[in-house]
Amino acid sequence: MTVYDVIDAKKNGRALGAEEVGYFVNEVAQGGASDAQIAAFCMAVLLNGMTDEECFALTRAMAESGARTPRPAEGVFADKHSTGGVSDSTTLVLVPVLAALGVPCAKYSGRGLGHTGGTLDKLESFPGLTVSLSPERFARQVREVGAAVAGQTADTVPADKRMYAVRDVTATVDSIPLIASSVMSKKLASFADVILLDVKYGGGAFMHTPKRAEKLARLMVSIGEAAGRRMCAAVTCMDAPLGDAVGCNAEAREACEVLAGKQNDLSRLSLFHASKLAAAVLRIPEEEALRRAEEAVGSGAAREKFAQMVAAQGGDARYVYEPQRFSVAPCAHEVRAAADGFLNIDALALGRACVEMGGGRKREGDAVDHTCAILLKRRPGVQVRAGELLAEVCCNAAAPAAFALADGAFTLSPRRRVRPLVYAYIGKSGRA
Ligand code: URA
């Protein structure tokens, strides 16, 4: 068997056996397959699809391509994974809320890539905070604080690292079997017992329709369940940014405001996720879990937990209580309504605008300007009048391409066009 044979078989639409998939993934992880061969394989999968059995085999082989992440402590661990969005800081809210409820959160997160933001970058907005925690320090923090969020080490799922980097530049990200195996290989290589997948649909997501997002969610749930994990998934809207801020410092600031009681779609979705996970781990009814999650925010317990976590990772915890400390670049461009109408906001365009200003990465390893931001002044679906201020674009140098993207992101329609924030929830008893 050669790498060429496997690519040729997939190109011709043949379902691969577990042995062929395992061989290919091993060659990817060990460097025996070139980037060109990985790209050809991914394009063949994108165009011809995979059976569920092939996708299960691909996920297993990828999960086994590197070191397993050790369980940091005794207990039942919860995890949430989003397929990627704009202004989605739910992890920064959800982790302290769960920890305040006594649900230990030991989370490995990623960096922003493409138009989507990354939890690690937002956490690094806290001066001094490190996301590079040794396994021992990570485990100690989980035992002492009940919450830790860090980056995965280089030897975790190396096959996914190579495949994702190639997919990102060869237009092969938006394939259901490739996303499912990428996400779930990282989950299977880790220790979480209860996993909630937030599968995004809409203009700012890899899956544009809710039906396709639901198909992806079901496939990932079945992969996790086959591996003995307790799984649930929410299919949620990413037509517009989830919160009111795009950009690292502004999003970290907003997460602290939500922990102080600010209410918007970001707070609603974070508490929705927290209640599903808390109900599953603590084995309590979901209404009770939601009530406790709301109480953890209302009482300040979740905010205190977040401050403890930030401090344990070397960050300045004063920012948690005084979010105005986060610096945001001056407003360099205002977006105003061109006419009367109901507002639509395009998350993809705003994510790209933020990258264009330097607030995100064009390539892995690029430096990020944490102070760049787009601040929404009006929410999608509201009725606005011509000339009203819709958003401020904040950056440190003129960025005409970003300003044009931001201008184009705000459109008006004669009728309200807002799709549901939570389209479907797939739990133990099926779709809700
Ligand atoms: N997130 C991942 O981890 N992998 C994908 O392929 C897409 C989103």
Side-chain angles (χ1 to χ4, degrees):
M1 191 189 319
T2 64
V3 168
Y4 182 99
D5 295 335
V6 177
I7 298 167
D8 196 44
K10 199 65 244 173
K11 178 189 76 182
N12 290 318
R14 180 166 71 69
L16 303 172
E19 211 177 303
E20 289 168 299
V21 172
Y23 167 79
F24 180 80
V25 170
N26 195 42
E27 291 299 304
V28 171
Q30 303 299 322
S34 67
D35 282 358
Q37 288 175 313
I38 296 173
F41 175 84
C42 290
M43 189 57 86
V45 171
L46 183 133
L47 296 175
N48 292 331
M50 273 188 153
T51 63
D52 286 359
E53 289 69 32
E54 280 179 292
C55 187
F56 280 40
L58 180 60
T59 310
R60 272 196 305 272
M62 285 166 70
E64 286 160 12
S65 69
R68 290 185 74 84
T69 311
R71 184 172 279 272
E74 292 296 309
V76 178
F77 284 93
D79 194 5
K80 185 238 27 159
H81 185 97
S82 154
T83 54
V86 177
S87 187
D88 178 358
S89 315
T90 47
T91 296
L92 301 192
V93 178
L94 169 109
V95 165
V97 167
L98 285 175
L101 297 186
V103 177
C105 265
K107 189 156 168 49
Y108 285 100
S109 286
R111 296 202 175 271
L113 202 58
H115 70 283
T116 65
T119 298
L120 299 184
D121 299 315
K122 296 173 205 175
L123 271 176
E124 283 176 346
S125 289
F126 288 91
L129 186 144
T130 179
V131 293
S132 306
L133 304 179
S134 67
E136 296 74 31
R137 182 171 169 189
F138 186 78
R140 190 172 64 243
Q141 187 177 319
V142 172
R143 283 196 303 274
E144 290 174 0
V145 179
V149 180
Q152 263 174 333
T153 55
D155 56 356
T156 319
V157 198
D160 178 61
K161 284 201 181 73
R162 272 201 85 195
M163 284 174 75
Y164 197 90
V166 170
R167 286 166 59 210
D168 196 43
V169 293
T170 56
T172 49
V173 170
D174 55 340
S175 144
I176 288 180
L178 293 180
I179 295 178
S181 54
S182 165
V183 169
M184 290 310 297
S185 61
K186 287 175 282 210
K187 299 294 127 192
L188 299 194
S190 196
F191 49 81
D193 308 282
V194 182
I195 300 166
L196 183 149
L197 301 166
D198 183 353
V199 183
K200 302 289 186 194
Y201 79 90
F206 296 127
M207 300 289 110
H208 290 168
T209 67
K211 289 261 171 280
R212 246 172 94 70
E214 188 173 344
K215 192 170 169 200
L216 171 62
R218 288 191 180 285
L219 178 58
M220 293 196 287
V221 164
S222 60
I223 293 171
E225 284 178 344
R229 310 297 174 98
R230 284 159 65 196
M231 303 292 303
C232 54
V235 176
T236 71
C237 189
M238 188 37 69
D239 282 333
L242 184 60
D244 300 332
V246 182
C248 291
N249 280 7
E251 289 185 53
R253 178 174 78 183
E254 187 175 28
C256 296
E257 289 165 355
V258 166
L259 287 169
K262 174 176 173 173
Q263 292 189 2
N264 58 6
D265 281 350
L266 171 63
S267 67
R268 275 186 282 281
L269 193 61
S270 304
L271 292 190
F272 176 86
H273 289 338
S275 67
K276 299 288 180 193
L277 283 170
V281 174
L282 302 174
R283 298 190 186 275
I284 56 174
E286 284 175 8
E287 305 73 52
E288 169 67 6
L290 181 59
R291 194 191 58 71
R292 287 195 205 176
E294 284 167 351
E295 207 173 278
V297 174
S299 68
R303 188 160 68 146
E304 210 174 303
K305 227 0 129 185
F306 195 39
Q308 286 170 16
M309 186 190 107
V310 167
Q313 293 186 214
D316 186 341
R318 288 176 302 174
Y319 281 63
V320 175
Y321 296 105
E322 299 161 34
Q324 68 280 7
R325 282 179 177 269
F326 286 106
S327 61
V328 170
C331 173
H333 180 72
E334 287 183 348
V335 183
R336 290 187 176 271
D340 294 354
F342 288 90
L343 187 59
N344 310 302
I345 308 180
D346 175 351
L348 176 62
L350 290 187
R352 285 187 177 153
C354 190
V355 171
E356 201 55 52
M357 299 191 282
R361 286 186 188 83
K362 288 191 173 151
R363 270 177 239 293
E364 208 178 331
D366 279 356
V368 169
D369 181 345
H370 284 237
T371 67
C372 289
I374 298 163
L375 306 176
L376 303 189
K377 299 297 169 189
R378 308 292 272 134
R379 289 298 302 168
V382 299
Q383 202 166 11
V384 298
R385 317 279 305 179
E388 235 180 89
L389 179 65
L390 305 180
E392 289 176 352
V393 184
C394 307
C395 53
N396 295 303
F403 301 161
L405 276 164
D407 285 336
F410 294 83
T411 54
L412 297 151
S413 52
R415 266 178 298 280
R416 192 170 184 271
R417 282 195 332 223
V418 177
R419 298 199 279 183
L421 179 59
V422 179
Y423 168 80
Y425 174 71
I426 300 152
K428 192 131 191 63
S429 48
R431 194 181 193 282

